[in-house]
Amino acid sequence: AQSVTQLGSHVSVSEGALVLLRCNYSSSVPPYLFWYVQYPNQGLQLLLKYTTGATLVKGINGFEAEFKKSETSFHLTKPSAHMSDAAEYFCAVSDLGDDKIIFGKGTRLHILP
Amino acid sequence: DTGVSQDPRHKITKRGQNVTFRCDPISEHNRLYWYRQTLGQGPEFLTYFQNEAQLEKSRLLSDRFSAERPKGSFSTLEIQRTEQGDSAMYLCASSSTSTPTYEQYFGPGTRLTVT
């Protein structure tokens, strides 16, 4: 069964520093990959997605992620953290031909002033 | 396009009571999904519809849970004889089969507290 592992349930970075949130998936076939963000008491908002083509994907709010098939990874990065980035981030995967999304457990990002 | 809406946003109920939640998808979306999110976890798939047909149900969806989408528009999720373990955020999402990646758009969720 497909699964997603997010390393670190909490990550703290200083404002202006690099944000790196790690995600690994288990699949023998490259799936669709997603990063969602959830602000307190809100639903999930899609940050970016990988389907096919270019392995470096750019999303909203300055975030990007790189699909690395050899490492089965899809890490999320942002060059310079902003206070408004404080939220919970979920990596997710969907197999080709499947309709449900499998989510990781999430990483809460804290931004230090 | 007003996005996916869910009602109510919060529900507190006593153990043993029945509750019903409603989800209104984005109007042109033909697929509708229900997920459950417990504290400290990511959302877990419960079930999904394409138009009015319920195409898949997770083993998480016990016989106390039932979902409907009678006219292929809004959907309801009912939980009978609620238990404390049902306390969670219930998320609804919708998508369109005309979008090749089946990108899902989420509503704000209904937070259920069973006392």
Side-chain angles (χ1 to χ4, degrees), chain B residues 3-109:
Chain B
V4 179
S5 61
Q6 293 186 244
D7 184 69
R9 294 291 307 275
H10 303 274
K11 179 71 177 179
I12 300 174
T13 191
K14 294 184 177 180
R15 184 167 53 92
Q17 297 295 304
N18 298 344
V19 294
T20 300
F21 310 140
R22 176 180 170 125
C23 171
D24 287 87
I26 293 172
S27 58
E28 63 269 25
H29 284 182
N30 58 343
R31 286 193 170 172
L32 187 148
Y33 308 78
W34 285 100
Y35 292 82
R36 181 175 68 187
Q37 184 179 17
T38 54
L39 201 61
Q41 300 294 319
E44 297 172 294
F45 170 80
L46 292 179
T47 187
Y48 91 96
F49 294 83
Q50 179 162 318
N51 301 314
E52 62 273 7
Q54 189 172 17
L55 296 188
E56 186 173 348
K57 293 193 291 185
S58 163
R59 60 180 173 76
L60 295 175
L61 211 65
S62 75
D63 56 6
R64 296 185 298 105
F65 288 71
S66 63
E68 293 183 344
R69 195 183 184 198
K71 298 182 179 179
S73 56
F74 72 92
S75 174
T76 57
L77 177 68
E78 181 183 16
I79 309 175
Q80 296 182 327
R81 305 181 303 281
T82 53
E83 302 173 355
Q84 287 190 322
D86 297 331
S87 295
M89 175 78 87
Y90 290 84
L91 295 166
C92 175
S94 69
S95 71
S96 170
T97 51
S98 65
T99 305
T101 60
Y102 298 104
E103 185 173 320
Q104 296 181 20
Y105 295 83
F106 283 79

Side-chain angles (χ1 to χ4, degrees), chain A residues 6 32 34 36 38 40-46 49-52 88 90 94 97-106, chain B residues 9-10 31 33 35 37 40-45 48 55-56 89 91 99-109 111:
Chain A
Q6 291 184 240
Y32 296 150
F34 309 86
Y36 282 86
Q38 186 176 36
N41 298 315
Q42 294 187 28
L44 282 78
Q45 181 182 9
L46 181 67
K49 63 186 179 192
Y50 168 80
T51 54
T52 59
E88 185 133 28
F90 293 95
S94 176
D98 198 352
D99 298 290
K100 59 183 177 289
I101 294 178
I102 306 300
F103 287 86
K105 292 187 176 183
Chain B
R9 294 291 307 275
H10 303 274
R31 286 193 170 172
Y33 308 78
Y35 292 82
Q37 184 179 17
Q41 300 294 319
E44 297 172 294
F45 170 80
Y48 91 96
L55 296 188
E56 186 173 348
M89 175 78 87
L91 295 166
T99 305
T101 60
Y102 298 104
E103 185 173 320
Q104 296 181 20
Y105 295 83
F106 283 79
R111 182 171 296 284

